[in-house]
């Protein structure tokens, strides 16, 4: 698809709110942008299992252990839907995975921070999954059908993730002075990195304009961030948590909460690989990938034999 006329027809389909499906004609750049963004999303879900997985054996009760185990398994499922959805664009999963393990593909900055106490698990559920819901509810309206449908399903599960985190945090915030301190400390550490999840300011976001024109994103990074802060201010107040931003103020004119300067130097340093846990996360994922090679080989061989058997029988 290259001619002016074809590009115009494609844009008309987008503007009419039609979904683009895998076998439809699409500009090469649209396909490339989707592969970049969807695979980054898939890698994030998989890397995102590490900070919480670290606490499964130390969850404070059987109930909390079961909830955390279920949540971490859900994240694996999200990664798998998203890799499958990316494969509908002609990408090979192995290439995508190897590009982030040994190449330059990105994953969400948020997973490069450590989980120091159990309160971090509560805060990941509340803030990180809360931010993911805001971002992915928008992506569930994306112009690319498989990505939109994957996000719809993911959001249903994220909603349980956020609720369990908020419920635990509310309990901790009304517990002993020590528990209250732990809860507040975790919020203080995760607040700014969570705001960074939405990406750079719109003025520094090279991809946003194109993605919005093609309906892949339907809201900008800043619009989503403002929406998220508005929701979190109320939720924090309801459980007696203070958000660590002295500049947080309600703006009567805009009807939104204004907030302070995001530490962008920290964001870019994490994105470039120099965050507190970047090396550790990549090391853990490489180890799992390399140690799991025999499982992939066995599954491929099993599938080949099944196919041969089915062909002989038909
Ligand atoms: N971290 O032009 P921009 C979860 C990069 S997991 C790292 O604004 P775009 C969960 C960006 O890639 C859900 N990199 O980009 C799992 C670009 O670089 P490249 C995670 C970032 O695409 C387990 C450059 O900066 N969610 O919920 O328009 C447990 C310029 O940015 C980040 C997703 O992955 C970042 N935060 O917008 C718990 C959502 N931000 O690629 C929870 C899907 C920006 O040009 N992705 N960069 O080299 C998106 O919505 C969009 O891709 C972004 C960025 C908003 C992230």
């Amino acid at each position: 698809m290259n001619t002016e006329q074809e590009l115009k027809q494609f844009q008309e389909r987008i503007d009419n709110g039609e979904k683009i499906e895998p076998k439809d004609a699409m500009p090469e750049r649209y396909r490339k942008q989707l592969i970049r963004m969807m695979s980054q999303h898939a890698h994030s879900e998989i890397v995102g299992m590490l900070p919480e997985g670290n606490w499964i054996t130390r969850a404070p009760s059987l109930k909390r252990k079961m909830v955390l185990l279920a949540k971490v398994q859900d994240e694996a499922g999200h990664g798998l839907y998203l890799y499958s959805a990316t494969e509908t664009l002609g990408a090979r999963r192995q290439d995508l995975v190897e590009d982030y393990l040994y190449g330059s593909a990105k994953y969400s900055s948020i997973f490069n921070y450590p989980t120091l106490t159990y309160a971090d698990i509560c805060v990941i559920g509340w803030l990180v999954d809360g931010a993911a819901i805001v971002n992915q509810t928008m992506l569930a309206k994306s112009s690319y059908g498989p990505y939109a449908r994957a996000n719809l399903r993911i959001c249903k599960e994220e909603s349980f993730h956020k609720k369990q985190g908020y419920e635990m945090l509310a309990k901790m915030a009304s517990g002993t002075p020590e528990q209250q301190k732990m809860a507040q400390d975790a919020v203080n550490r995760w607040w700014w990195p969570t705001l960074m999840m939405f990406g750079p300011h719109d003025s520094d976001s090279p991809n946003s304009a194109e993605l919005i024109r093609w309906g892949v994103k339907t809201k900008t990074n800043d619009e989503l961030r403002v929406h998220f802060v508005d929701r979190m201010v109320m939720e924090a107040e309801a459980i007696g948590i203070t958000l660590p931003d002295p500049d947080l103020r309600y703006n009567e004119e805009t009807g939104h909460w204004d907030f302070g300067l995001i530490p962008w130097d920290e964001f870019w340093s994490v994105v470039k690989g120099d965050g507190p846990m970047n090396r550790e996360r990549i090391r853990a994922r490489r180890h799992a990938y390399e140690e799991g090679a025999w499982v992939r080989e066995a599954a491929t061989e099993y599938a080949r034999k099944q196919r041969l058997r089915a062909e002989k029988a038909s």
Side-chain angles (χ1 to χ4, degrees):
M1 167 177 285
N2 281 318
T3 67
E4 286 272 312
Q5 180 61 13
E6 285 169 331
L7 289 173
K8 194 164 160 260
Q9 279 168 355
F10 180 78
Q11 191 63 52
E12 273 167 13
R13 290 191 64 193
I14 302 275
D15 296 344
N16 289 337
E18 278 180 54
K19 290 276 180 254
I20 308 299
E21 296 298 338
K23 290 188 178 146
D24 294 351
M26 60 185 84
E28 197 44 34
R29 175 81 186 156
Y30 177 84
R31 183 191 303 276
K32 282 221 166 91
Q33 276 285 38
L34 278 171
I35 292 175
R36 175 190 68 83
M37 192 171 145
M38 290 165 66
S39 60
Q40 174 188 296
H41 192 165
H43 307 326
S44 305
E45 299 281 358
I46 300 294
V47 176
M49 295 164 73
L50 294 171
E52 290 172 287
N54 181 36
W55 280 89
I56 291 173
T57 54
R58 289 174 288 164
S61 68
L62 182 60
K63 178 183 153 192
R64 296 296 181 201
K65 201 186 282 276
M66 284 163 67
V67 170
L68 188 55
L69 198 56
K71 179 189 188 299
V72 173
Q73 281 179 340
D74 283 352
E75 309 300 357
H78 299 172
L80 298 186
Y81 313 147
L82 289 163
Y83 281 128
S84 298
T86 316
E87 283 173 317
T88 65
L89 290 156
R92 280 195 343 142
R93 187 177 308 201
Q94 189 180 342
D95 297 338
L96 301 174
V97 171
E98 290 182 0
D99 193 22
Y100 101 90
L101 292 183
Y102 309 104
S104 59
K106 296 186 168 71
Y107 60 89
S108 183
S109 49
I110 193 72
F111 303 115
N112 292 306
Y113 290 85
T115 39
L116 303 180
T117 71
Y118 196 74
D120 292 39
I121 303 306
C122 313
V123 171
I124 290 180
W126 178 47
L127 290 182
V128 177
D129 287 274
I133 291 174
V134 167
N135 173 258
Q136 289 161 184
T137 306
M138 174 275 285
L139 294 173
K141 297 187 191 107
S142 164
S143 58
Y144 188 56
Y147 194 34
R149 292 188 287 274
N151 276 297
L152 203 60
R153 181 154 179 188
I154 290 172
C155 281
K156 289 188 184 152
E157 292 171 350
E158 297 291 24
S159 166
F160 145 67
H161 298 171
K162 185 187 165 195
K163 280 182 193 145
Q164 61 86 38
Y166 190 53
E167 188 255 347
M168 283 195 292
L169 191 68
K171 256 210 165 96
M172 211 175 246
S174 60
T176 62
E178 202 185 357
Q179 287 170 326
Q180 289 175 10
K181 208 167 143 231
M182 260 171 73
Q184 185 60 54
D185 170 65
V187 173
N188 293 351
R189 284 182 290 107
W190 287 88
W191 176 247
W192 294 105
T194 304
L195 293 193
M196 296 173 201
M197 276 177 81
F198 294 95
H201 278 314
D202 298 346
S203 52
D204 298 319
S205 164
N207 299 296
S208 278
E210 186 174 58
L211 292 175
I212 286 187
R213 178 158 50 83
W214 278 331
V216 174
K217 280 167 143 180
T218 54
K219 291 214 162 62
T220 71
N221 299 355
D222 284 330
E223 283 169 343
L224 292 177
R225 193 167 12 242
V226 166
H227 177 60
F228 173 74
V229 172
D230 286 349
R231 287 177 66 162
M232 293 301 124
V233 169
M234 284 188 293
E235 293 182 17
E237 204 178 298
I239 59 171
I241 284 286
T242 305
L243 295 175
D245 180 357
D247 296 323
L248 206 52
R249 242 165 238 111
Y250 186 70
N251 184 327
E252 296 281 350
E253 263 174 48
T254 61
H256 297 292
W257 286 80
D258 290 338
F259 46 90
L261 280 183
I262 295 173
W264 290 116
D265 287 351
E266 177 182 319
F267 170 73
W268 289 116
S269 141
V270 173
V271 169
K272 286 179 186 142
D274 287 326
M277 297 295 282
N278 291 64
R279 286 172 189 82
E280 172 65 29
R281 299 292 184 237
I282 286 289
R283 198 166 34 242
R285 289 307 314 149
R286 280 185 187 160
H287 179 74
Y289 185 68
E290 286 157 16
E291 289 293 302
W294 70 270
V295 179
R296 291 190 297 280
E297 279 162 26
T300 308
E301 184 55 19
Y302 179 72
R304 191 186 68 84
K305 284 187 179 158
Q306 292 291 93
R307 218 172 24 245
L308 278 181
R309 216 167 280 160
E311 275 167 19
K312 270 192 195 148
S314 65

